[in-house]
Amino acid sequence: MMARKQAATLSLLASALLPFIAQGSQVQTADPHGLYAKPGQTLALTHATLITAPGKKLSDATLVIKDGVIVSVGNKVPNGARVIDTQGAWIYPGFIDPYSNYGLPSKAYEASDDDAPHYSWQRAGAQAHNAAIHGSEMWRSVATADKDAAKIYLDDGFTSVESARLDGIFRGYSVSLSLAQLPSNQLIYKDTGRQFMAFDKGSSPQEYPTSLMGAIALVRQTLSDAAWYKEAQSHNGARRKLEANTDLAALANLPSQGILMATRHEDELLEAAQLFNRFGLTPVYVGSNFEYDRADAVAKVAKTVVLPLNFPKPPKVTTEADLERVQLADLRHWERAPTTAAELSKRHVAVAFSRHGVEGSMWPQIKKALQAGLSEDNALAALTTVPAEISGISQLAGQLKAGMMADFVVASGNLFEQGHILSTWTQGQPHSQVPINLAALWGSYTLANDYSLSIDPKGEVVLKKGDEPLESLSSRYQDNHLELRFVDGNTSHYWQLSGSHKTPKLSAFQSGQWQTLSINPLAADSSGKAPEKTQIVSRVTFPNQAYGLGSHPKAEKLLIKNATVWTSEKAGILKNTDVLIANGKIDKIGNKLSAPRGAQVIDATGMHLTAGIIDEHSHIAISGGVNEASEAVTSEVRIEDVINPNDISIYRALAGGTTSAQLLHGSANPIGGQSKVVKLRWGETADDMKFKRAPGTIKFALGENVKQSNWGDSFTIRYPQSRMGVKTLMEDAFQTAKEYQEQRTRYDLLSRRQKREVLPPRRDFRLDALVEVMNKERFVHAHSYVASEILALMEVADDFDFHIQTFTHILEGYKVADEMKAHGTTASTFADWWAYKFEVYDAIPENACLMNKKGLITSINSDSEELIRRLNLEAAKSMAYCGMSPEDAWKMATINPAKQLKVDQYTGSIKEGKDADLVLWDANPLSAKARVQDTWVDGKRYFDRKHDLAERQAIKTEKAALIAKVLKSGEKPAEDREGYRPTVVHWHCEDMDNHLEAM
């Protein structure tokens, strides 16, 4: 018979004790079906090393349990207790996972074959209007034990979890569950825990939201609605007019219930913190292991972070193509992700660990975190006391302490060094991993007659003759004896192994008698040795990718001498002029200026100094979608919520002389989202990029996109479907906003007594933005092409007493320049884009010149991550096409867009007192030969050509070192980019996808 390997997992010694262990500690309300359950016997686990809590250790101690509860921790064995000798073992508090969907359904809705968009969704009962909101779900109602799923947790030492269905944006109130195999109502440790949340609508079939900014807007509106609903319920006479809404009623309790907020990366965490801070909420965040990059910023907003132990596999570096494609950011993240827990702990952020997303055992990942600098105490706290606090069960679990649940882990030694888990106990019930006393026999042994035996930490026993594994007939471990029966050819041998690891003995039954054979231990198992500290070879930069900055730039005291200065002011172009920069401002402009003490001097002879270029229309640096492409009016969504400071386009734009840009919503809706003006402060956080002195703006759109002309056959039901419908929709939206504001004004004028008798007005962020437009607090930038629609939109604005600030694209602006001038609007256009769709067939290259001659403030924009780095050349084209002067051409890239964005008092020209947003060129900036040497924003140098050239070599060197480390690690590479930051998407106006991964 051909021999084959068959691993034999041995039974647990403690399994013999099961008849003596009570099934749970709670008082039961169910009537028995048969005999009444009796109290369990007291158990004493003796001579163990007890780790009662992080940093607390008892040697040669005894743990006493009864009826699923810890009775005592110390040295006494109660009379009548059944004793389990656990000499040599270490006992830890059971581990707790605070982010799980254990024991619950996986999703709310099944996928449908229906391709038609659903703009509303009829839900049963008094639920919220949006199908991604499940705020009133109480997961205690459906939670149940799952034996197969529990085993995965138990094998890693977990004894309880905090669980909710991981589907939707508001996911419902979690339940903390024991992993014991007991009736559901005996599993629950806390029935109403935190509200689980994420910016991911999950299985919701409803269109809204289609983007990350839409998800954030939905959270903002829902939190506001919950506060309003709570207030409205207390008003006399208001309840009869108030809709029943169980989700809003439940969410009113968030301040006391708490939130567990899942995030995809550190930038999303920081933006979420800003949102929740506005409502006085401080969630616990589920992190992403990217937080090491912005650890200081994260520590300012997050008190507690849950880190899934799903560190990424190394990127592929096996072929020449792999080496060409691999990104420095991915290599750095593979090395740095395990450092996240240590970096946050250093900054006094409480860290908890989760198994979420982990394949196989989590212990190799924990060892990586230890190698990366995490202390054992903090690692244990991340598994015990911190998640117990998060889950609200610190009075029941997380420590070995009298009165707590008998949830604990028995290990062969220090788990953070060479130890392995032997058994996990939940409510006093043991779950077999490895026999306790068998741990002394781990290893490989040589036997007589060319036989060898191996016993591994999982309890698997393999006997070989030479290199051939023998087939096992039976194996059993009982009363400190290992009994094996193997088949060797036609002869059956019976072996018994007894004794300790110091003097093991093997007896073989041969020729009718027992014979003792000698055993020689082979090399000790090295897989569980204490981890050595990792040598980090990568840098951390801001952002943490190629061309990131090693430190944040400081405002320079700088004298630039002998430059040709393009002022973009009435002074025009000044030859051989000096400019002094101090405190982030343009301090002085003149000739032969003296350098103040401590100032750096740049001799700019032969060079040209200009104001930084400003792009009126850009879609760079945006995460999770440029369009909230669901509804026709989405004025509540905000680009400022989804600024992506890691987009390399920022750095490239600086290298092309651009220092500011308006980040616009796309063109999927007649009334789109709120835009944001940013300064291109490379390496800073998303919040620090915002140009906070710039007034609010909003994107409107006309033409083919908004009426869904080219969206496909399924998109024929959203109003409007025609150009005339677009105008009507806008009129209706503004009329509704006007009435909304009047209602709020009337309510504000009521006395306190009168207010108690009426329903308070609900704040509507969608209408608030339109009220701001009518109040001239927010300014409209309208995507436009066709002259008739331009005239129609100006009519709407005139009817509601506001004006269109800027028509962007406006390729038929030359046809209606007089009407635009009368309306008081401005124009931002392309230099020479035409004929790429029907509504731009009438575009002409003289468009910018003709509008400029009519007195319209005209600018050139990019609408492209590529064009933004050469807007100087786009401005120069009007000199070639229609003879525009160099001064006017340059103004189209600097002061004119500054005026359109209403930031011209701060930037856009070289004038004393303005922000030092400056660019130094080695030639005339309107020349194709000109190259940027330096770019300053607020007097801080964010681009330096000399540094850039040096950085290119540094990147090659660092990549080579990281690739060598990946190859040396021997780790299996990732098949895809799972675990890495999503690739930056370069959006265009019409892009509809969001490119977000589900959470």
Side-chain angles (χ1 to χ4, degrees):
M1 181 178 64
M2 184 174 292
R4 63 183 178 85
K5 176 181 179 181
Q6 180 176 341
T9 302
L10 305 179
S11 62
L12 182 69
L13 170 64
S15 62
L17 301 175
L18 284 174
F20 303 97
I21 300 173
Q23 300 299 298
S25 62
Q26 295 119 329
V27 175
Q28 299 301 300
T29 57
D31 293 329
H33 300 288
L35 302 177
Y36 282 90
K38 300 297 189 293
Q41 185 173 0
T42 301
L43 298 179
L45 284 72
T46 61
H47 305 300
T49 298
L50 301 184
I51 309 299
T52 60
K56 297 182 179 180
K57 176 180 176 182
L58 297 178
S59 300
D60 193 20
T62 297
L63 178 69
V64 180
I65 65 173
K66 181 176 182 176
D67 294 337
V69 176
I70 296 174
V71 175
S72 65
V73 177
N75 295 307
K76 293 183 179 180
V77 177
N79 293 332
R82 185 175 180 90
V83 175
I84 303 176
D85 185 354
T86 54
Q87 185 171 9
W90 289 43
I91 301 180
Y92 294 85
F95 307 146
I96 303 163
D97 192 327
Y99 182 61
S100 165
N101 66 341
Y102 170 80
L104 299 173
S106 61
K107 56 185 177 180
Y109 304 96
E110 294 298 326
S112 172
D113 295 331
D114 182 9
D115 292 333
H118 298 280
Y119 295 105
S120 61
W121 191 257
Q122 297 300 318
R123 306 179 73 190
Q127 300 181 76
H129 68 93
N130 191 280
I133 299 174
H134 311 286
S136 59
E137 294 281 10
M138 297 290 184
W139 294 113
R140 64 190 181 193
S141 303
V142 296
T144 186
D146 183 333
K147 186 176 182 180
D148 292 337
K151 185 179 186 305
I152 297 171
Y153 285 97
L154 292 166
D155 285 352
D156 269 346
F158 287 100
T159 55
S160 63
V161 295
E162 185 176 12
S163 193
R165 185 178 62 201
L166 304 183
D167 185 28
I169 292 176
F170 290 88
R171 297 176 165 182
Y173 286 106
S174 64
V175 57
S176 287
L177 296 168
S178 168
L179 292 167
Q181 297 303 300
L182 294 170
S184 297
N185 55 1
Q186 297 180 44
L187 301 178
I188 295 176
Y189 284 175
K190 183 177 176 64
D191 62 356
T192 308
R194 293 177 181 272
Q195 177 80 207
F196 275 31
M197 291 183 64
F199 293 140
D200 175 12
K201 73 177 183 180
S203 66
S204 168
Q206 192 169 343
E207 283 293 291
Y208 186 84
T210 64
S211 65
L212 175 58
M213 61 182 159
I216 294 173
L218 180 59
V219 171
R220 181 166 45 246
Q221 186 65 66
T222 304
L223 293 177
S224 176
D225 286 349
W228 164 80
Y229 194 84
K230 183 176 183 179
E231 178 191 1
Q233 285 182 313
S234 66
H235 282 223
N236 298 329
R239 292 184 183 179
R240 64 179 177 270
K241 299 180 181 179
L242 190 64
E243 66 176 27
N245 193 316
T246 56
D247 288 320
L248 294 183
L251 295 174
N253 300 318
L254 280 180
S256 59
Q257 290 293 341
I259 296 169
L260 187 70
M261 177 69 197
T263 59
R264 297 177 181 89
H265 46 74
E266 79 284 9
D267 298 315
E268 190 169 286
L269 187 155
L270 295 173
E271 289 297 340
Q274 285 202 349
L275 169 62
F276 288 115
N277 183 58
R278 296 185 184 101
F279 293 91
L281 300 170
T282 305
V284 170
Y285 292 97
V286 179
S288 57
N289 291 304
F290 284 98
E291 289 76 17
Y292 61 87
D293 186 13
R294 304 280 188 183
D296 289 336
V298 170
K300 291 179 181 178
V301 299
K303 297 179 180 178
T304 307
V305 175
V306 178
L307 293 176
L309 288 165
N310 55 349
F311 304 143
K313 296 176 182 178
K316 285 185 177 180
V317 291
T318 52
T319 68
E320 186 176 350
D322 293 336
L323 295 173
E324 184 69 25
R325 285 192 297 260
V326 68
Q327 298 294 310
L328 177 62
D330 289 355
L331 290 165
R332 284 181 177 177
H333 184 56
W334 166 73
E335 183 184 48
R336 290 275 179 176
T339 70
T340 304
E343 293 298 328
L344 292 180
S345 295
K346 289 176 188 175
R347 292 161 175 81
H348 309 292
V349 176
V351 172
F353 286 148
S354 171
R355 266 198 55 86
H356 182 70
V358 176
E359 297 178 2
S361 173
M362 70 174 183
W363 280 98
Q365 308 290 55
I366 291 178
K367 297 290 178 67
K368 284 185 177 181
L370 293 169
Q371 290 174 304
L374 185 67
S375 70
E376 285 188 21
D377 285 347
N378 283 335
L380 182 58
L383 293 166
T384 56
T385 52
V386 176
E389 187 68 29
I390 294 170
S391 304
I393 60 171
S394 54
Q395 299 303 310
L396 295 173
Q399 300 183 57
L400 298 180
K401 189 176 178 182
M404 290 195 164
M405 303 303 294
D407 293 347
F408 54 90
V409 180
V410 180
S412 63
N414 185 337
L415 278 175
F416 302 107
E417 294 181 359
Q418 77 283 358
H420 293 269
I421 294 174
L422 303 175
S423 61
T424 304
W425 295 58
T426 57
Q427 298 191 31
Q429 298 182 45
H431 301 272
S432 173
Q433 274 101 337
V434 182
I436 293 174
N437 293 316
L438 182 58
L441 303 174
W442 287 345
S444 299
Y445 305 91
T446 55
L447 315 178
N449 302 325
D450 199 28
Y451 288 101
S452 64
L453 178 73
S454 65
I455 307 172
D456 73 9
K458 294 181 180 179
E460 294 180 350
V461 180
V462 177
L463 183 69
K464 291 182 179 181
K465 183 177 183 181
D467 295 329
E468 291 293 325
L470 303 183
E471 182 179 7
S472 170
L473 293 181
S474 66
S475 61
R476 153 176 98 141
Y477 185 75
Q478 189 171 2
D479 297 332
N480 295 326
H481 291 280
L482 173 65
E483 296 181 357
L484 306 170
R485 183 181 294 274
F486 284 86
V487 175
D488 179 7
N490 297 320
T491 304
S492 178
H493 296 286
Y494 181 81
W495 288 286
Q496 177 174 300
L497 181 65
S498 62
S500 69
H501 67 286
K502 295 180 179 179
T503 57
K505 293 181 180 180
L506 183 70
S507 296
F509 188 72
Q510 293 180 339
S511 303
Q513 63 181 359
W514 287 96
Q515 181 179 346
T516 300
L517 305 177
S518 62
I519 304 175
N520 300 312
L522 297 178
D525 174 33
S526 61
S527 62
K529 284 187 176 180
E532 298 178 359
K533 297 300 181 184
T534 299
Q535 295 298 315
I536 301 294
V537 301
S538 64
R539 297 175 291 165
V540 171
T541 60
F542 306 98
N544 198 33
Q545 61 192 56
Y547 300 100
L549 303 180
S551 60
H552 299 291
K554 305 294 184 183
E556 298 180 26
K557 183 183 287 187
L558 179 66
L559 179 61
I560 301 171
K561 296 184 66 66
N562 304 318
T564 298
V565 178
W566 296 58
T567 66
S568 296
E569 294 279 346
K570 290 181 180 180
I573 302 172
L574 305 176
K575 302 287 186 177
N576 298 318
T577 300
D578 303 342
V579 176
L580 178 64
I581 301 171
N583 301 315
K585 302 291 184 182
I586 299 169
D587 190 52
K588 290 180 182 179
I589 304 170
N591 298 109
K592 298 181 180 180
L593 298 179
S594 299
R597 185 187 300 273
Q600 179 186 356
V601 178
I602 294 178
D603 183 358
T605 301
M607 297 185 180
H608 294 247
L609 185 70
T610 71
I613 293 171
I614 299 171
D615 191 354
E616 182 273 342
H617 188 137
S618 177
H619 301 300
I620 68 169
I622 295 173
S623 292
V626 71
N627 273 298
E628 177 45 55
S630 53
E631 301 181 6
V633 179
T634 58
S635 48
E636 74 282 5
V637 307
R638 310 190 315 186
I639 290 292
E640 71 173 280
D641 293 333
V642 292
I643 294 171
N644 179 6
N646 305 291
D647 188 351
I648 191 63
S649 297
I650 300 169
Y651 182 73
R652 291 170 179 164
L654 288 162
T658 303
T659 56
S660 295
Q662 179 177 219
L663 307 185
L664 285 164
H665 186 276
S667 57
N669 340 70
I671 298 179
Q674 299 170 36
S675 311
K676 190 62 183 177
V677 182
V678 298
K679 288 201 175 187
L680 301 184
R681 302 178 178 117
W682 176 241
E684 308 295 345
T685 65
D687 189 56
D688 289 334
M689 282 182 61
K690 298 170 187 175
F691 198 154
K692 295 181 180 178
R693 293 171 293 174
T697 58
I698 188 170
K699 172 76 171 288
F700 283 19
L702 307 170
E704 295 180 3
N705 294 356
V706 302
K707 63 188 185 70
Q708 300 181 311
S709 297
N710 304 305
W711 291 33
D713 294 339
S714 297
F715 292 89
T716 58
I717 60 175
R718 189 187 81 176
Y719 185 87
Q721 293 284 300
S722 66
R723 295 177 190 269
M724 58 185 172
V726 171
K727 181 173 185 283
T728 302
L729 176 87
M730 291 181 173
E731 290 171 334
D732 179 73
F734 277 105
Q735 182 60 36
T736 302
K738 184 177 180 180
E739 294 168 0
Y740 162 81
Q741 182 61 16
E742 290 170 350
Q743 179 192 23
R744 294 181 66 88
T745 301
R746 287 195 299 270
Y747 182 81
D748 290 341
L749 295 175
L750 295 177
S751 67
R752 183 178 298 179
R753 182 186 62 80
Q754 289 172 321
K755 287 180 179 178
R756 299 291 299 174
E757 301 298 325
V758 299
L759 191 67
R762 167 183 170 268
R763 184 172 186 185
D764 187 320
F765 290 101
R766 180 173 293 181
L767 296 178
D768 278 349
L770 300 184
V771 169
E772 290 172 355
V773 171
M774 291 188 291
N775 290 342
K776 300 176 178 59
E777 298 166 344
R778 183 171 298 279
F779 300 95
V780 176
H781 290 248
H783 164 115
S784 57
Y785 292 102
V786 178
S788 60
E789 291 183 307
I790 296 167
L791 296 174
L793 182 54
M794 289 191 294
E795 288 180 4
V796 174
D798 290 340
D799 289 344
F800 290 93
D801 193 28
F802 67 93
H803 80 283
I804 306 302
Q805 176 64 20
T806 303
F807 281 98
T808 189
H809 299 346
I810 194 141
L811 295 179
E812 292 189 14
Y814 65 94
K815 296 181 180 181
V816 290
D818 290 332
E819 290 84 353
M820 291 170 61
K821 181 67 182 298
H823 178 75
T825 189
T826 66
S828 187
T829 190
F830 301 125
D832 52 5
W833 287 19
W834 54 71
Y836 54 90
K837 58 180 177 177
F838 176 78
E839 59 190 357
V840 294
Y841 280 5
D842 282 0
I844 59 175
E846 298 85 2
N847 184 42
C849 284
L850 292 174
M851 291 190 293
N852 187 58
K853 287 178 181 178
K854 289 289 187 178
L856 288 176
I857 296 173
T858 304
S859 70
I860 296 293
N861 66 63
S862 75
D863 195 14
S864 160
E865 82 286 350
E866 198 276 332
L867 274 185
I868 194 174
R869 63 186 181 87
R870 51 185 179 87
L871 278 171
N872 61 318
L873 301 184
E874 295 300 293
K877 287 177 179 179
S878 288
M879 296 167 58
Y881 287 138
C882 47
M884 185 178 286
S885 70
E887 290 88 343
D888 282 351
W890 192 247
K891 287 180 179 180
M892 289 202 301
T894 54
I895 192 62
N896 287 1
K899 290 177 179 178
Q900 291 169 344
L901 301 175
K902 293 188 175 293
V903 295
D904 52 300
Q905 66 269 46
Y906 310 117
T907 190
S909 65
I910 298 180
K911 183 179 180 180
E912 291 179 0
K914 283 194 173 186
D915 296 347
D917 298 346
L918 301 170
V919 184
L920 186 63
W921 307 77
D922 64 0
N924 185 316
L926 293 171
S927 166
K929 297 180 179 180
R931 295 188 302 176
V932 172
Q933 301 302 302
D934 299 282
T935 304
W936 293 268
V937 181
D938 300 315
K940 300 175 182 179
R941 197 176 326 209
Y942 284 98
F943 176 78
D944 180 330
R945 181 165 293 276
K946 292 179 181 178
H947 173 78
D948 176 88
L949 294 173
E951 184 66 9
R952 296 179 196 185
Q953 184 57 48
I955 289 169
K956 290 180 182 179
T957 302
E958 184 180 358
K959 281 186 70 173
L962 284 166
I963 289 169
K965 186 172 182 178
V966 168
L967 294 173
K968 185 178 179 181
S969 74
E971 293 184 41
K972 183 179 179 181
E975 292 298 323
D976 51 31
R977 296 190 69 259
E978 184 177 355
Y980 293 95
R981 188 186 297 276
T983 302
V984 172
V985 178
H986 294 132
W987 307 107
H988 299 92
C989 271
E990 68 276 8
D991 289 335
M992 303 301 171
D993 295 333
N994 61 36
H995 297 270
L996 286 177
E997 297 176 357
M999 290 188 293

